[in-house]
Amino acid sequence: MKKKIISLLLAAAMTCGTLAGCGGAGASDSGADASSDEASAADDNTSAQEEVTEESSGEEQAAEDGEVTVVKWFASRPVDGEIDLTMREIAQKYSEEHGGTWKLEVETTADRPSYLQKLRTLIAGNNMPDIIDIDADPYCKELVDAGMLVDVKAFLQEENMYDKFYPIALKYQEFTDGTMYTLPLEYHVEMIWYNKQIFEENNVEVPRTIDEWLDVCKTLKDNGVTPISVDGIDRWPVQRYLAMMPFRDSGNQYIIDLRDGRVSMGDETGKKAVEFLQEIGQYFNDGFAATDYATAQSLFLDGKSAMYYIGDWEQAAMLEGYQNGTIDYFYLPTTADGKTGANEFCVNSGIGMAFNTQTFDEKTKDFILYVIENYGEIYAGRQQMSPIKTQLPEGIEFTDLYLRIQEDMGKTGENFLKPWDTYLDSDSNTVMQDNMLLLASGDMTAEEFIKLVDDAIAANTQ
């Protein structure tokens, strides 16, 4: 019996957030990167194995005849999250159209560190899955340099599919040299949600500049209000704050130069980042370093903090407050002489899916093209922002909040804050993320932080 195995590996938010890690949503994250969808459900979906397509009598017969194509996706997304559900629905339809001779199997580890550790182990053991979830980060670049990943940009261009995606959704997936080896399945903006009632009671207005934002925070704290709730456990939300001033100063150029060892964390732009995190850190909730994602969000939704930075992937959680007039949002405030404008902030398309060059055959290509043709409408129908251009499906009542954010996304500028964890090697990023918590809480000096980061990057750029 001949059985053809094709592995499909399909990464917020958030939230830089996150897409952001996001830190995702993250989105990374990338935090987010942010990817996003993953961050809110990671605790409930640490590891799961599931089959997406249902067994049918035709499929069982095909299996007996040795004709079933099994596609495996090693994923880092929440089981039953919107991406998971959308891909499952598409895979089911694709299987039915192929008479049950094809099916998709999914192995999920939604906790990103655990996922990456397992992925590295598989690849080191010469067992690389055929499709993986991965950010366009230094580890991904190692796989590219080893010839292990498919050139997704070339594939989309060859199939006349490149222009079906929103430009920033694809640009987010690129390396700094413009090459692209990951395909986006999400699209997010990150914003600061705020409690309108708390703002009104304390006579503060929505800030337009960073300085005004800090003034709002000071007024709130002086009046006994916790200005900002933050998820410190996942690190990437705090890293978004560290990246804000450099993004306003230079777009993403500073983090690229820092990564490559051309500038220091102690240079003028780096010092702005450090000083800003020190200043705004005093307005985070008490014990933020030990605060998890759900708790930080609950503090805000329960009216115990005035602001909360997270991406549009959490719009469902914000919807009730938005509809009753107690919750609204604003985007990253600007600086007087900054390079980036008010319509430029963290926009991300989350962790992407990458394909193993050894198993990316015609059958795999056919399925991915089928996904691209069908994904946008189904995903948007779940009140999600699609990276693929699509008309909103009829018969679905989209919320005013969804439509407003979608309109915002159509007006974003060319620059977007890309989560720093997608640029830095894992060792340097760990040093930065661990120590920025101490910096933000006032338990580390700027000089100590700068030296630790510079030394880590120097050790990894030799």
Side-chain angles (χ1 to χ4, degrees), residues 149-167:
L149 299 184
V150 170
D151 186 332
V152 171
K153 178 179 281 190
F155 169 68
L156 293 178
Q157 291 173 337
E158 289 167 3
E159 299 293 340
N160 295 317
M161 291 289 183
Y162 190 83
D163 291 337
K164 287 185 174 291
F165 289 79
Y166 289 103

Side-chain angles (χ1 to χ4, degrees), residues 35-344:
S35 112
S36 40
D37 178 38
E38 71 202 37
S40 59
D43 291 341
D44 298 325
N45 301 287
T46 54
S47 181
Q49 175 79 32
E50 58 181 321
E51 285 191 4
V52 172
T53 54
E54 296 179 354
E55 296 287 347
S56 64
S57 57
E59 185 172 356
E60 291 168 355
Q61 181 62 50
E64 292 176 3
D65 296 338
E67 300 174 358
V68 175
T69 296
V70 179
V71 177
K72 292 184 177 180
W73 168 23
F74 185 45
S76 180
R77 307 174 193 272
V79 175
D80 291 335
E82 303 303 338
I83 292 174
D84 177 71
L85 292 173
T86 300
M87 289 299 297
R88 194 184 321 175
E89 181 177 342
I90 292 172
Q92 174 104 11
K93 291 181 178 180
Y94 186 80
S95 180
E96 291 171 353
E97 291 181 14
H98 287 75
T101 62
W102 181 97
K103 67 177 181 178
L104 178 66
E105 291 183 351
V106 184
E107 180 182 351
T108 295
T109 302
D111 176 70
R112 188 66 61 81
S114 298
Y115 170 83
L116 290 174
Q117 182 178 15
K118 184 171 182 179
L119 177 63
R120 287 174 180 268
T121 301
L122 287 170
I123 293 175
N126 200 30
N127 293 309
M128 178 181 173
D130 299 280
I131 300 177
I132 58 174
D133 281 352
I134 195 166
D135 284 307
D137 59 13
Y139 180 59
C140 181
K141 188 63 166 62
E142 290 179 22
L143 301 183
V144 170
D145 292 343
M148 302 175 75
L149 299 184
V150 170
D151 186 332
V152 171
K153 178 179 281 190
F155 169 68
L156 293 178
Q157 291 173 337
E158 289 167 3
E159 299 293 340
N160 295 317
M161 291 289 183
Y162 190 83
D163 291 337
K164 287 185 174 291
F165 289 79
Y166 289 103
I168 291 181
L170 293 181
K171 190 171 180 60
Y172 177 86
Q173 301 291 329
E174 292 180 353
F175 290 111
T176 52
D177 63 3
T179 58
M180 188 183 80
Y181 291 81
T182 51
L183 188 76
L185 292 176
E186 54 192 300
Y187 194 30
H188 299 293
V189 291
E190 297 179 7
M191 61 275 279
I192 300 102
W193 300 86
Y194 72 99
N195 186 305
K196 294 173 67 176
Q197 183 176 347
I198 292 177
F199 269 44
E200 291 169 2
E201 290 174 351
N202 291 274
N203 297 313
V204 295
E205 297 181 352
V206 172
R208 294 168 297 175
T209 68
I210 292 288
D211 287 341
E212 289 178 357
W213 190 16
L214 291 171
D215 287 342
V216 166
C217 290
K218 184 178 186 306
T219 298
L220 292 172
K221 185 174 182 179
D222 289 347
N223 291 345
V225 176
T226 297
I228 303 171
S229 56
V230 178
D231 162 21
I233 283 184
D234 289 315
R235 304 297 199 264
W236 69 262
V238 179
Q239 196 170 39
R240 288 291 198 275
Y241 287 91
L242 186 64
M244 287 174 180
M245 289 297 286
F247 175 71
R248 283 293 177 229
D249 265 14
S250 66
N252 293 313
Q253 191 58 49
Y254 174 77
I255 185 58
I256 293 170
D257 290 342
L258 183 68
R259 174 200 66 187
D260 296 341
R262 292 193 294 266
V263 300
S264 163
M265 195 76 229
D267 287 354
E268 181 181 357
T269 299
K271 284 183 178 178
K272 287 183 181 180
V274 170
E275 291 168 358
F276 175 70
L277 184 58
Q278 286 180 309
E279 188 165 3
I280 203 164
Q282 65 184 306
Y283 302 122
F284 294 166
N285 58 286
D286 290 340
F288 72 89
T291 300
D292 62 18
Y293 190 100
T295 303
Q297 182 166 289
S298 293
L299 286 172
F300 174 72
L301 293 176
D302 293 342
K304 296 177 181 178
S305 70
M307 290 173 281
Y308 177 54
Y309 182 99
I310 206 69
D312 68 273
W313 58 85
E314 288 295 350
Q315 61 180 287
M318 306 297 169
L319 184 59
E320 181 178 354
Y322 182 82
Q323 290 179 329
N324 66 29
T326 60
I327 290 177
D328 206 337
Y329 65 84
F330 60 92
Y331 292 105
L332 177 63
T334 60
T335 55
D337 301 318
K339 177 181 178 180
T340 57
N343 67 337
E344 296 175 321

Side-chain angles (χ1 to χ4, degrees), residues 389-408:
K389 299 172 185 175
T390 185
Q391 294 292 324
L392 294 181
E394 298 180 357
I396 296 175
E397 185 177 351
F398 290 90
T399 68
D400 290 341
L401 179 58
Y402 177 94
L403 296 174
R404 178 184 166 192
I405 294 173
Q406 185 191 51
E407 183 178 359
D408 292 345

